[in-house]
Amino acid sequence: MNKNIKSLFKMSALSVGLSVAVNLSAQESQTPNTDDDKGDYENRLLIVGQNNTLNTEAGSATIIDEVQLEKYEFDDIHRILAQVPGVNIRQEDGYGLRPNIGFRGVTPERSKKINILEDGILIGPAPYSAPAAYYFPMVSRMTSVEVYKGPSAILYGPNTVAGTLNMLTRQVSQDNEGMVDVSYGSDAYSKFHGYAIHNFDNLGVLIEGINLQSDGFKTLDSGGDTGFDKKDITTKFRYDLKGEQFDQVFELKLGYADELSNETYLGLTDEDFALSPFRRYAASQLGEMDWQHEQVQFNHFLQGENFDITTRAYRNDFERAWRKLNNFRPSNNPATQRSLQDILSAPSEGINAIYYQVLTGQKDSEGLFEQLLIGVNDRTFYSQGVQTDLNLKFEWGDITHNIKTGIRYHEDEIERFHTEDNFNMVSGILVATGAETAITTANTERSKVWSIYLKDTLELDQWELTFGFRSEIIDSYYQNNLVGFENDWLKKSTTIVLPGVSAFYSIDDMSGVFAGLHRGFIPTSPKQSPEIEIEDSTNLELGYRYFNQANRIELVGFYSDFDNLKESCTASTSSSCFSIIDQEFNAGNAEVFGLEASWADRFSLSNDIDVPWMLTYSYTSAEFQETFDSDFELWGDVSAGDSVPYLPEHQLTLDIGLEASQWRTNLMISYVDEMNEAAGDNVALSGVMTDAYWNLDLSAAYDFMDYGTVYLKAENVLDEVNIISRRPFGARPSKPQQFYLGYKYRW
């Protein structure tokens, strides 16, 4: 039997065993409950929960529900998260295929410093061994998106510095229902999305599928497609078991997804961007990402009078091969050595002019140092585990205790097999030289982790006081698999305890103030020597929250003191990182502080028309507190007081609409401040900034009642094109003006 299947069986067996054990012990001690006391299984897949009461958790919390998601029908998580304060983003391809997301001042590079969950389960390919998120779930199939930051981050690991992003997939409802959604738009965009739910007594079945594709908005010098084709199918089986004392839910989730996209890391010079921002150089013509993702998850939910327990066993497999331009062929002459970032930053200086002409197809390759290296970064991942979460409520004297505790055993692994081939540029076409394929990287990184958390919230009059901790016990392993490097290996163990404390004071039933303090942690990868320290921080926040059915206000100030800020070298960071993939760097002390504000309300223009609106604002300041010299391309030679890269100081979003019984229209206006491309001096992008920009997105829909809904959306209405980043390898444009027309039918 395949070892992966064996592992899954073991995990499932452990999950069932834990559930049965808790069930038997609970039957001995619990008394019957009433229907009014029964909780909601779906809420245990959420972090924040439904927005129907004042949230008394200490910590900034935002939930974007299905109604809000359907207003704009966004396929890009970056655009969705523009509605959330305290989120910093570096866009890359315009479609959100490879997101770069950070919270509260942490570097957004490949979203590796936040926890990304789907239905409460870590969804990254290898969240401990290789957290860079080259796979991201298709947000078009999500029914809820949650962002949680602050002291309760200790519930969700391993990364507790910034916060957690949790996405909820469609649940198996008790009704027989379904939907078909088709949409067409600019650049041959198309979306086909549908689901069906059917119930057979206590057994419910969901089948959901979606396909997104586009020819892309960029134009290759050599001709060809610059778009993508993504597919996703999910099946769920849910069995509800009602008992005299306990209710139970058993659920099996199976998923498959794939993507084929003609994407590259090669951007443009600033001069070429000004002339033709959607151009792609001839040297990028072979760029192609090809990945497949498989998912199995088994959930068991047990609920009694004053407790519930959720156990989840999961297995995710992810394979990807990304073929793209890596660099020019190295030579023995240092005078000819240039990274792609160096070439595109100064395309007319010295030998850079020759390289630039080859990249653009204006000149044929002559000599070895003008040959182009096309690499295939082939990687295989798995992530599996079992976790059990217990919620218990009881009274002791005059104090009500709400206890949340959980344990998780998790394993993940990445196997890298990177190769490179030599190509000549011949009349604008890349032609293989026929030289032997070189194996550049072959290694394995693996992590085995026990995670434990405990949080006790004490309710006393108008106060809620919370004390808790999280512990991560990580055993990791690294092995270089290249021939002759058998002795290049490392085993290490890391144990960390992360305490947190918070308080919420209810001013009245609709408002309160809160404060929290917790320790933040981000682990090092298995290949890093002990000299590379973990990322460690002390995080403080103070906030105010107001809620009623129409009006919601949240104001939060935060401060993070990093004992050690670290970053890793990835290909998406710089072309100079190809030879030291995932090498991590220490920056020492850094400080981040800021303000997050959100205000949502609605008013009526008449008896038939409402005006819902929401305003969010973020201010972030992040600075290094130490002076140091680094050859890491994001940092360079840093002086104390230099800003951390890719963190806009100001961000603002206004979402306003007009809604009637059968129609609606919504406008989202967003502003993102300029960002530093590098922190210090003496690296390719020193002193260079991205563009500050405004973006307007518009949507409208008309409901024909029994005959479905027609919707229209327009992204980047003003058709403003800006440099959103110069990584990887050159200037990259924001998404141009795009129009979409869709039809949705439900039954």
Side-chain angles (χ1 to χ4, degrees), residues 88 101-116 126-132 153-154 156-164 447 449 470 472 474 492 494-498 518-526 528-530 532-539 560-568 584-586 592 635:
N88 46 287
I101 305 166
F103 300 158
R104 289 191 172 174
V106 303
T107 306
E109 194 65 29
R110 283 291 177 263
S111 311
K112 61 180 177 284
K113 290 191 175 185
I114 63 172
N115 300 310
I116 301 175
Y128 284 85
S129 300
I154 61 174
Y156 315 102
N159 303 320
T160 61
V161 169
T164 295
S447 298
V449 188
R470 181 179 191 86
E472 297 274 347
I474 307 171
K492 63 179 182 180
T494 303
T495 300
I496 194 85
V497 177
L498 308 165
H518 78 282
R519 184 184 181 190
F521 160 75
I522 293 177
T524 59
S525 73
Q528 305 307 316
S529 66
I532 302 297
E533 301 175 8
I534 65 170
E535 185 162 298
D536 196 3
S537 68
T538 300
N539 308 281
S560 296
D561 182 7
F562 289 82
D563 289 337
N564 179 54
L565 182 70
K566 74 176 181 70
E567 190 54 78
S568 59
E584 296 184 342
F585 297 85
N586 291 329
V592 180
W635 293 345

Coordinates of all heavy atoms in Angstrom, one line a residue, residues 88 101-116 126-132 153-154 156-164 447 449 470 472 474 492 494-498 518-526 528-530 532-539 560-568 584-586 592 635:
N88 N -1.5 44.2 4.5 CA -0.6 44.8 3.5 C -0.3 43.8 2.4 O -0.1 42.6 2.7 CB 0.7 45.3 4.2 CG 1.3 44.3 5.1 OD1 0.8 44.1 6.2 ND2 2.4 43.7 4.8
I101 N 0.6 38.3 1.0 CA -0.3 38.9 2.0 C 0.4 39.0 3.3 O 1.0 38.0 3.8 CB -1.6 38.1 2.2 CG1 -2.3 37.9 0.8 CG2 -2.5 38.8 3.2 CD1 -3.4 36.9 0.8
G102 N 0.4 40.1 4.0 CA 0.9 40.3 5.3 C -0.1 41.0 6.2 O -1.0 41.7 5.6
F103 N 0.0 40.9 7.5 CA -0.9 41.6 8.4 C 0.0 42.4 9.3 O 1.1 42.0 9.7 CB -1.7 40.7 9.3 CG -2.7 39.8 8.5 CD1 -3.1 38.6 9.1 CD2 -3.1 40.1 7.3 CE1 -4.0 37.8 8.5 CE2 -4.0 39.3 6.6 CZ -4.4 38.1 7.2
R104 N -0.4 43.6 9.7 CA 0.2 44.4 10.7 C 1.8 44.5 10.5 O 2.5 44.4 11.5 CB -0.1 43.9 12.1 CG -1.6 44.1 12.4 CD -1.9 43.8 13.9 NE -3.2 44.3 14.2 CZ -3.8 44.0 15.4 NH1 -3.2 43.4 16.3 NH2 -5.0 44.5 15.6
G105 N 2.2 44.8 9.3 CA 3.6 45.1 9.1 C 4.5 44.0 8.8 O 5.7 44.3 8.6
V106 N 4.1 42.7 8.8 CA 5.0 41.7 8.5 C 5.1 41.6 6.9 O 4.2 42.0 6.2 CB 4.5 40.3 9.0 CG1 4.4 40.3 10.5 CG2 3.2 39.8 8.3
T107 N 6.3 41.2 6.5 CA 6.5 41.2 5.0 C 5.5 40.3 4.3 O 5.3 39.2 4.8 CB 8.0 40.7 4.8 OG1 8.9 41.5 5.5 CG2 8.3 40.8 3.3
P108 N 4.9 40.8 3.3 CA 3.8 40.0 2.6 C 4.4 38.9 1.7 O 3.6 38.1 1.1 CB 3.1 41.0 1.8 CG 4.1 42.0 1.5 CD 5.0 42.1 2.7
E109 N 5.7 38.8 1.5 CA 6.3 37.9 0.5 C 5.7 36.5 0.6 O 5.9 35.7 1.6 CB 7.8 37.8 0.7 CG 8.5 37.2 -0.5 CD 8.4 38.0 -1.8 OE1 8.2 39.3 -1.7 OE2 8.4 37.5 -2.8
R110 N 4.9 36.1 -0.4 CA 4.3 34.7 -0.6 C 3.5 34.3 0.7 O 3.3 33.1 0.9 CB 5.4 33.7 -0.8 CG 5.9 33.7 -2.3 CD 4.9 33.2 -3.2 NE 5.3 33.2 -4.6 CZ 5.1 34.2 -5.5 NH1 4.4 35.2 -5.1 NH2 5.5 34.2 -6.7
S111 N 3.0 35.3 1.4 CA 2.0 35.1 2.5 C 2.6 34.1 3.5 O 1.8 33.5 4.2 CB 0.7 34.5 1.9 OG 0.2 35.3 0.8
K112 N 3.9 34.0 3.6 CA 4.5 33.0 4.5 C 4.5 33.3 6.0 O 4.9 32.4 6.8 CB 5.9 32.6 4.0 CG 6.9 33.8 4.0 CD 8.3 33.3 3.5 CE 9.3 34.4 3.5 NZ 9.1 35.3 2.3
K113 N 4.1 34.5 6.4 CA 4.2 34.9 7.8 C 2.8 34.9 8.4 O 2.7 35.4 9.6 CB 4.9 36.2 8.0 CG 6.4 36.1 7.7 CD 7.2 37.3 8.1 CE 8.7 37.1 8.0 NZ 9.4 38.3 8.5
I114 N 1.8 34.6 7.7 CA 0.4 34.5 8.3 C 0.0 33.0 8.2 O 0.5 32.2 7.4 CB -0.6 35.4 7.6 CG1 -0.8 34.9 6.1 CG2 -0.2 36.8 7.6 CD1 -1.9 35.7 5.4
N115 N -1.0 32.7 9.0 CA -1.6 31.3 8.9 C -2.8 31.4 7.9 O -3.6 32.3 8.0 CB -2.2 30.9 10.3 CG -1.2 30.8 11.4 OD1 -0.1 30.2 11.2 ND2 -1.4 31.5 12.5
I116 N -2.7 30.5 7.0 CA -3.8 30.4 6.0 C -4.6 29.1 6.2 O -4.0 28.0 6.1 CB -3.2 30.5 4.5 CG1 -2.4 31.8 4.3 CG2 -4.4 30.4 3.5 CD1 -1.7 31.8 3.0
A126 N 3.2 23.2 2.7 CA 4.0 22.7 3.8 C 4.2 23.8 4.7 O 5.2 24.5 4.7 CB 5.3 22.2 3.3
P127 N 3.2 24.1 5.6 CA 3.2 25.4 6.4 C 4.3 25.5 7.4 O 4.7 26.6 7.8 CB 1.8 25.3 7.1 CG 1.4 23.9 7.0 CD 1.9 23.4 5.8
Y128 N 5.0 24.4 7.8 CA 6.1 24.5 8.6 C 7.4 24.4 7.9 O 8.4 25.2 8.1 CB 6.1 23.3 9.7 CG 5.1 23.6 10.8 CD1 3.8 23.2 10.7 CD2 5.5 24.1 12.0 CE1 2.9 23.4 11.7 CE2 4.6 24.3 13.1 CZ 3.3 24.0 12.9 OH 2.4 24.2 13.9
S129 N 7.5 23.4 7.0 CA 8.8 23.2 6.3 C 9.1 24.2 5.2 O 10.2 24.6 4.9 CB 8.8 21.8 5.6 OG 8.6 20.8 6.6
A130 N 8.0 24.7 4.5 CA 8.2 25.6 3.4 C 6.9 26.4 3.2 O 6.1 26.1 2.4 CB 8.5 24.9 2.1
P131 N 6.7 27.5 4.1 CA 5.5 28.2 4.2 C 5.1 29.1 3.0 O 4.0 29.6 3.0 CB 5.6 29.0 5.5 CG 7.1 29.2 5.6 CD 7.7 28.0 5.1
A132 N 6.0 29.3 2.1 CA 5.7 30.2 1.0 C 4.5 29.6 0.2 O 4.5 28.5 -0.3 CB 6.9 30.4 0.0
A153 N -4.4 35.1 18.6 CA -3.6 34.4 17.6 C -3.0 33.2 18.1 O -2.6 32.3 17.3 CB -2.6 35.4 17.0
I154 N -2.9 33.1 19.4 CA -2.2 31.9 20.0 C -3.0 30.7 19.7 O -2.5 29.5 19.9 CB -2.0 32.1 21.5 CG1 -3.3 32.3 22.3 CG2 -1.0 33.2 21.8 CD1 -3.1 32.3 23.8
Y156 N -4.1 29.8 16.8 CA -3.8 29.4 15.4 C -2.3 29.5 15.1 O -1.8 30.6 15.0 CB -4.7 30.2 14.5 CG -6.1 30.4 15.0 CD1 -6.5 31.6 15.6 CD2 -7.0 29.4 14.9 CE1 -7.8 31.7 16.1 CE2 -8.3 29.5 15.4 CZ -8.7 30.7 16.0 OH -9.9 30.8 16.4
G157 N -1.7 28.4 14.9 CA -0.2 28.4 14.7 C 0.1 27.8 13.3 O -0.8 27.4 12.6
P158 N 1.4 27.8 13.0 CA 2.5 28.2 13.8 C 2.8 29.7 13.9 O 3.4 30.1 14.9 CB 3.7 27.5 13.1 CG 3.3 27.5 11.7 CD 1.8 27.3 11.6
N159 N 2.3 30.5 13.0 CA 2.7 31.9 13.0 C 1.8 32.7 13.8 O 0.6 32.9 13.5 CB 2.7 32.4 11.5 CG 3.6 31.6 10.6 OD1 4.7 31.2 11.0 ND2 3.1 31.3 9.4
T160 N 2.3 33.3 14.9 CA 1.5 34.0 15.8 C 1.8 35.5 15.9 O 1.3 36.2 16.8 CB 1.5 33.4 17.2 OG1 2.9 33.5 17.7 CG2 1.0 32.0 17.2
V161 N 2.7 36.0 15.0 CA 3.1 37.4 15.0 C 2.0 38.3 14.5 O 1.6 39.3 15.1 CB 4.4 37.6 14.2 CG1 4.7 39.1 14.0 CG2 5.6 37.0 14.9
A162 N 1.4 37.9 13.3 CA 0.6 38.8 12.6 C -0.9 38.4 12.7 O -1.7 39.3 13.0 CB 1.0 38.8 11.1
G163 N -1.3 37.2 12.4 CA -2.7 36.8 12.5 C -3.0 35.7 11.5 O -2.1 35.0 11.0
T164 N -4.3 35.4 11.3 CA -4.8 34.3 10.6 C -5.8 34.7 9.6 O -6.7 35.5 9.9 CB -5.4 33.3 11.6 OG1 -4.3 32.8 12.5 CG2 -6.0 32.1 10.9
S447 N 8.9 18.3 8.6 CA 8.7 18.7 9.9 C 7.6 17.9 10.6 O 6.6 17.5 9.9 CB 8.2 20.2 10.0 OG 9.1 21.1 9.5
V449 N 5.3 18.0 14.1 CA 5.0 19.0 15.1 C 3.8 18.6 16.0 O 2.8 18.1 15.5 CB 4.6 20.3 14.4 CG1 4.4 21.4 15.4 CG2 5.6 20.7 13.3
R470 N 0.1 29.0 23.9 CA 0.2 28.0 22.8 C 1.7 27.5 22.9 O 2.6 28.2 23.2 CB 0.0 28.7 21.5 CG 0.2 27.7 20.3 CD -0.1 28.3 19.0 NE -0.2 27.3 18.0 CZ -1.3 26.6 17.7 NH1 -2.4 26.9 18.3 NH2 -1.3 25.6 16.8
E472 N 4.5 25.0 20.7 CA 4.8 24.3 19.5 C 6.1 23.5 19.8 O 7.1 24.1 20.2 CB 5.1 25.4 18.4 CG 3.9 26.2 18.0 CD 3.0 25.5 16.9 OE1 3.5 24.5 16.3 OE2 1.9 26.0 16.7
I474 N 8.6 21.3 17.7 CA 8.8 21.0 16.2 C 10.1 20.2 16.1 O 11.2 20.6 16.6 CB 9.0 22.4 15.5 CG1 7.8 23.3 15.7 CG2 9.2 22.1 14.0 CD1 8.0 24.7 15.2
K492 N 17.0 19.0 13.9 CA 16.9 19.9 15.0 C 15.5 19.9 15.6 O 14.6 19.5 15.0 CB 17.3 21.3 14.6 CG 16.4 22.0 13.6 CD 16.8 23.4 13.2 CE 15.8 24.0 12.2 NZ 16.2 25.4 11.9
T494 N 12.8 22.3 18.1 CA 12.4 23.6 18.6 C 11.2 23.5 19.5 O 10.2 22.9 19.1 CB 12.1 24.6 17.5 OG1 13.3 24.7 16.6 CG2 11.8 26.0 18.1
T495 N 11.3 24.0 20.7 CA 10.1 24.1 21.6 C 9.9 25.5 22.0 O 10.9 26.2 22.5 CB 10.4 23.2 22.8 OG1 10.6 21.8 22.4 CG2 9.1 23.2 23.8
I496 N 8.7 26.0 21.9 CA 8.4 27.4 22.2 C 7.1 27.4 23.0 O 6.1 26.6 22.7 CB 8.3 28.2 20.9 CG1 8.3 29.7 21.2 CG2 7.1 27.8 20.1 CD1 9.7 30.3 21.4
V497 N 7.0 28.3 23.9 CA 5.7 28.6 24.7 C 5.4 30.0 24.4 O 6.2 30.9 24.6 CB 5.9 28.3 26.2 CG1 4.6 28.6 26.9 CG2 6.3 26.8 26.4
L498 N 4.1 30.2 24.0 CA 3.7 31.6 23.6 C 2.5 32.0 24.5 O 1.3 31.6 24.3 CB 3.2 31.5 22.2 CG 4.3 31.0 21.2 CD1 3.7 30.6 19.8 CD2 5.4 32.0 21.0
H518 N 0.5 39.6 23.7 CA 0.9 38.2 23.4 C 2.2 38.1 22.8 O 2.7 39.1 22.2 CB -0.2 37.5 22.6 CG -0.1 37.8 21.1 ND1 -0.6 39.0 20.6 CD2 0.4 37.2 20.0 CE1 -0.4 39.0 19.3 NE2 0.2 37.9 18.9
R519 N 2.8 37.0 22.9 CA 4.1 36.7 22.3 C 3.9 36.1 20.9 O 3.2 35.2 20.7 CB 5.0 35.7 23.1 CG 6.4 35.5 22.6 CD 7.1 34.5 23.4 NE 8.5 34.3 22.9 CZ 9.3 33.3 23.3 NH1 8.8 32.4 24.2 NH2 10.5 33.2 22.8
G520 N 4.7 36.7 19.9 CA 4.6 36.2 18.5 C 5.8 35.4 18.1 O 6.9 35.6 18.7
F521 N 5.6 34.5 17.2 CA 6.6 33.5 16.8 C 6.4 33.1 15.4 O 5.3 32.9 14.9 CB 6.5 32.3 17.8 CG 7.1 31.0 17.3 CD1 8.5 30.8 17.3 CD2 6.3 30.0 16.8 CE1 9.1 29.7 16.8 CE2 6.9 28.8 16.3 CZ 8.3 28.6 16.4
I522 N 7.6 33.0 14.7 CA 7.6 32.4 13.4 C 8.8 31.5 13.3 O 9.9 31.9 13.6 CB 7.7 33.4 12.2 CG1 6.4 34.2 12.2 CG2 7.9 32.7 10.9 CD1 6.3 35.3 11.2
P523 N 8.7 30.2 13.0 CA 9.8 29.2 13.1 C 10.7 29.4 11.9 O 10.4 30.0 10.9 CB 9.1 27.9 13.1 CG 7.8 28.1 12.3 CD 7.4 29.5 12.7
T524 N 11.9 28.8 12.1 CA 12.9 28.8 11.0 C 12.6 27.5 10.2 O 12.0 26.5 10.7 CB 14.3 28.8 11.4 OG1 14.5 27.7 12.3 CG2 14.6 30.1 12.2
S525 N 13.1 27.4 9.0 CA 12.9 26.2 8.1 C 13.8 25.1 8.5 O 14.8 25.4 9.2 CB 13.0 26.6 6.7 OG 14.4 26.8 6.4
P526 N 13.5 23.9 8.2 CA 14.4 22.8 8.6 C 15.9 22.9 8.2 O 16.7 22.3 8.9 CB 13.7 21.5 7.9 CG 12.3 21.9 7.8 CD 12.3 23.4 7.5
Q528 N 17.7 25.5 8.1 CA 18.5 26.7 8.6 C 19.3 26.2 9.9 O 18.7 25.5 10.7 CB 17.5 27.8 9.0 CG 16.7 28.3 7.9 CD 17.5 28.7 6.7 OE1 18.5 29.3 6.8 NE2 17.0 28.3 5.5
S529 N 20.5 26.6 9.9 CA 21.3 26.3 11.1 C 20.8 27.0 12.3 O 20.1 28.0 12.2 CB 22.8 26.7 10.8 OG 22.9 28.1 10.7
P530 N 21.2 26.5 13.5 CA 20.7 27.1 14.8 C 21.2 28.6 14.9 O 20.6 29.3 15.7 CB 21.4 26.3 15.9 CG 21.6 25.0 15.2 CD 21.9 25.3 13.8
I532 N 20.6 30.9 12.8 CA 19.4 31.6 12.3 C 18.3 31.6 13.4 O 17.8 30.5 13.7 CB 18.9 31.1 11.0 CG1 20.0 31.1 9.9 CG2 17.7 31.9 10.5 CD1 20.5 32.5 9.6
E533 N 18.0 32.7 14.0 CA 17.1 32.7 15.1 C 15.7 32.7 14.6 O 15.4 33.1 13.5 CB 17.4 34.0 16.0 CG 18.8 34.1 16.5 CD 19.0 35.4 17.3 OE1 18.0 36.1 17.4 OE2 20.1 35.6 17.6
I534 N 14.8 32.3 15.5 CA 13.3 32.4 15.2 C 12.9 33.8 15.1 O 13.6 34.7 15.6 CB 12.5 31.6 16.2 CG1 12.7 32.3 17.6 CG2 12.9 30.2 16.2 CD1 11.7 31.8 18.6
E535 N 11.8 34.1 14.5 CA 11.2 35.5 14.6 C 10.4 35.5 15.8 O 9.5 34.7 16.0 CB 10.4 35.8 13.3 CG 9.9 37.2 13.3 CD 9.4 37.7 11.9 OE1 10.3 37.7 11.0 OE2 8.2 38.0 11.8
D536 N 10.7 36.5 16.7 CA 10.2 36.6 18.0 C 9.7 38.0 18.3 O 10.5 38.9 18.0 CB 11.2 36.1 19.0 CG 10.6 35.8 20.4 OD1 9.4 35.9 20.5 OD2 11.4 35.5 21.3
S537 N 8.5 38.2 18.8 CA 8.0 39.5 19.0 C 7.1 39.6 20.2 O 6.5 38.6 20.6 CB 7.3 40.0 17.7 OG 6.1 39.3 17.6
T538 N 7.0 40.8 20.7 CA 6.0 41.1 21.8 C 4.9 42.0 21.1 O 5.3 43.1 20.6 CB 6.6 41.8 23.0 OG1 7.6 40.9 23.5 CG2 5.6 42.1 24.0
N539 N 3.7 41.7 21.2 CA 2.6 42.4 20.5 C 1.6 42.9 21.5 O 1.0 42.2 22.3 CB 2.0 41.4 19.5 CG 3.0 40.7 18.6 OD1 3.5 41.3 17.7 ND2 3.3 39.5 18.9
S560 N 4.1 46.3 17.8 CA 4.9 45.0 17.9 C 6.4 45.3 18.0 O 6.9 46.1 17.2 CB 4.6 44.2 16.6 OG 3.3 43.8 16.5
D561 N 7.0 44.7 19.0 CA 8.4 44.9 19.2 C 9.1 43.5 18.8 O 8.9 42.5 19.5 CB 8.7 45.2 20.7 CG 10.1 45.5 21.0 OD1 11.0 45.5 20.0 OD2 10.5 45.6 22.1
F562 N 9.8 43.5 17.7 CA 10.5 42.3 17.3 C 11.9 42.2 17.9 O 12.8 43.1 17.7 CB 10.7 42.3 15.7 CG 9.4 42.1 15.0 CD1 8.5 43.2 14.8 CD2 9.0 40.9 14.5 CE1 7.3 43.0 14.1 CE2 7.8 40.7 13.8 CZ 7.0 41.8 13.6
D563 N 12.1 41.2 18.7 CA 13.5 40.9 19.1 C 14.4 40.5 17.9 O 15.5 40.8 17.9 CB 13.5 39.7 20.1 CG 12.9 40.2 21.5 OD1 12.9 41.4 21.7 OD2 12.4 39.3 22.2
N564 N 13.8 39.8 17.0 CA 14.5 39.4 15.8 C 13.5 39.3 14.6 O 12.6 38.6 14.6 CB 15.2 38.1 15.9 CG 15.9 37.7 14.6 OD1 16.7 38.5 14.1 ND2 15.6 36.5 14.1
L565 N 13.7 40.2 13.6 CA 12.9 40.1 12.4 C 13.7 39.3 11.4 O 14.9 39.6 11.2 CB 12.7 41.5 11.8 CG 11.9 41.6 10.5 CD1 10.4 41.3 10.8 CD2 12.0 43.0 9.9
K566 N 13.1 38.3 10.8 CA 13.8 37.5 9.8 C 13.1 37.5 8.5 O 11.9 37.8 8.4 CB 14.1 36.1 10.3 CG 12.8 35.2 10.3 CD 13.2 33.8 10.8 CE 12.0 32.8 10.8 NZ 11.6 32.5 9.4
E567 N 13.8 37.1 7.4 CA 13.3 37.0 6.1 C 14.0 35.9 5.4 O 15.2 35.6 5.7 CB 13.4 38.3 5.4 CG 12.6 38.4 4.1 CD 11.2 38.0 4.2 OE1 10.4 38.9 4.7 OE2 10.8 36.9 3.9
S568 N 13.4 35.3 4.4 CA 14.0 34.2 3.6 C 14.1 34.6 2.1 O 13.3 35.4 1.6 CB 13.2 32.9 3.7 OG 11.9 33.1 3.3
E584 N 17.7 32.0 5.1 CA 17.1 33.0 6.0 C 18.1 33.9 6.5 O 19.3 33.6 6.7 CB 16.3 32.3 7.1 CG 15.1 31.5 6.5 CD 14.2 30.9 7.6 OE1 14.7 30.8 8.8 OE2 13.1 30.5 7.3
F585 N 17.7 35.2 6.8 CA 18.5 36.2 7.3 C 17.9 36.9 8.5 O 16.7 37.0 8.6 CB 18.7 37.3 6.2 CG 19.4 36.8 4.9 CD1 18.6 36.2 3.9 CD2 20.7 37.0 4.7 CE1 19.2 35.8 2.8 CE2 21.3 36.5 3.6 CZ 20.6 35.9 2.6
N586 N 18.8 37.2 9.4 CA 18.4 37.9 10.7 C 18.6 39.4 10.5 O 19.6 39.9 10.0 CB 19.2 37.5 11.9 CG 18.9 36.0 12.3 OD1 17.7 35.6 12.1 ND2 19.8 35.3 12.8
V592 N 7.1 47.9 14.9 CA 5.9 48.2 14.0 C 4.8 48.7 14.9 O 4.5 48.2 16.0 CB 5.4 46.9 13.3 CG1 4.3 47.2 12.4 CG2 6.6 46.3 12.5
W635 N 16.9 44.0 1.7 CA 17.4 44.8 2.8 C 18.5 45.7 2.3 O 18.5 46.9 2.4 CB 17.8 44.0 4.0 CG 16.6 43.3 4.7 CD1 15.3 43.6 4.5 CD2 16.7 42.2 5.6 NE1 14.5 42.8 5.3 CE2 15.4 41.9 6.0 CE3 17.7 41.5 6.2 CZ2 15.1 40.9 6.9 CZ3 17.4 40.5 7.1 CH2 16.1 40.2 7.4

